[in-house]
Amino acid sequence: MPNTLRSSLVCTVLDRLFAAADHDDDTPHGPIPGGSLATATAQERADALAAHYLPISARGGDLLYALVRAGRPSTVVEFGTSYGISTLYLAAAVADNGAGQVFSTEMSATKITAARANLDEAGLGGLVTILAGDALDTLADVPGPIGLVLLDGWKELCLPVLRLLEPRLSPGALVVADDITMPSMADYLDYVRDPANGYVSVAFPVEDGMEISCHTGARTTES
Ligand SMILES: C[S@@+](CC[C@H](N)C(=O)[O-])C[C@H]1O[C@@H](n2cnc3c(N)ncnc32)[C@H](O)[C@@H]1O
């Protein structure tokens, strides 16, 4: 049975990207119109942080790989490609499933070019379509059924992106959101943890926390 994730080709690329990401904290951000990340638009933040990797953790990546292997989704959607670290885990699992495709989306042109090169170098570029632009536009036309979603873009957009994708989620689809300890994830967590919205949701303790939510489709107020 193949394990593309542990192949030397993929490990070489992941090791290099994680090593580069270690410098995120020392890397100054680019110019921000208005001077503040807090008030910048999503595009202005993406441009200002174009040199920052902001990746999921390696353990979070392993978790994603396992979820995609187990669920065998035909379509995986990712919000927030950055330099492609999480995308590599998703694509490695799709490769080992022998079927499926990944749609990822990113609004930094610099990152899109780099992520495509990284995926190609790992031999996984053919399984991934990177959609350039704002997720709220680019993900509108991704065809369902969608079996797994990773939400890792700007946190205040995770709930709007989920609501956009929701009609195309397959029964039992898994939705994974990263960095759930961030205060800006509160409205998202309130939504997926409310049984009335049709999810069974659990916090998973990897790094800054990942919320794994199974879309049952059954909207109920029973506990
Ligand atoms: C935390 S990083 C993603 C890290 C990536 N998942 C990884 O593990 O390497 C978030 C990314 O989402 C992108 N992003 C934020 N808002 C977006 C939007 N509305 N549409 C598309 N991309 C967006 C940012 O430019 C940034 O690169």
Side-chain angles (χ1 to χ4, degrees):
M1 198 181 293
N3 183 345
T4 299
L5 191 55
R6 303 294 183 232
S7 69
S8 60
L9 198 57
V10 172
C11 286
T12 300
V13 180
L14 279 175
D15 288 350
R16 190 187 70 237
L17 296 178
F18 274 123
D22 281 344
H23 297 289
D24 270 358
D25 288 344
D26 323 320
T27 307
H29 60 64
I32 310 161
S36 160
L37 279 177
T39 54
T41 65
Q43 182 68 61
E44 288 166 351
R45 252 182 293 162
D47 291 339
L49 295 172
H52 290 71
Y53 285 66
L54 313 168
I56 60 163
S57 65
R59 284 185 69 228
D62 285 350
L63 175 63
L64 288 170
Y65 175 89
L67 293 175
V68 173
R69 288 304 307 273
R72 302 183 61 80
S74 55
T75 297
V76 174
V77 169
E78 174 180 53
F79 167 41
T81 320
S82 194
Y83 283 82
I85 289 180
S86 49
T87 324
L88 283 161
Y89 285 92
L90 298 170
V94 166
D96 292 344
N97 283 343
Q101 58 186 332
V102 180
F103 291 93
S104 188
T105 189
E106 175 54 58
M107 61 194 332
S108 159
T110 304
K111 288 182 170 181
I112 292 166
T113 303
R116 285 197 176 118
N118 292 331
L119 287 156
D120 285 344
E121 183 185 344
L124 295 168
L127 297 172
V128 180
T129 303
I130 301 180
L131 303 166
D134 187 333
L136 291 170
D137 300 323
T138 59
L139 297 180
D141 296 324
V142 171
I146 298 166
L148 187 135
V149 177
L150 172 62
L151 298 172
D152 193 26
W154 301 150
K155 301 309 161 190
E156 75 281 6
L157 297 176
C158 286
L159 183 53
V161 169
L162 175 64
R163 298 302 305 273
L164 175 71
L165 297 173
E166 210 162 52
R168 285 166 282 154
L169 294 181
S170 61
L174 293 178
V175 182
V176 182
D178 195 30
D179 300 322
I180 60 170
T181 54
M182 293 178 74
S184 46
M185 286 298 281
D187 62 343
Y188 176 85
L189 295 175
D190 287 347
Y191 182 81
V192 293
R193 291 174 181 176
D194 181 347
N197 293 318
Y199 293 87
V200 173
S201 197
V202 60
F204 205 86
V206 285
E207 208 191 29
D208 292 328
M210 282 179 152
E211 185 83 2
I212 303 178
S213 310
C214 177
H215 178 65
T216 70
R219 293 175 185 270
T220 172
T221 52
E222 293 169 18
S223 58

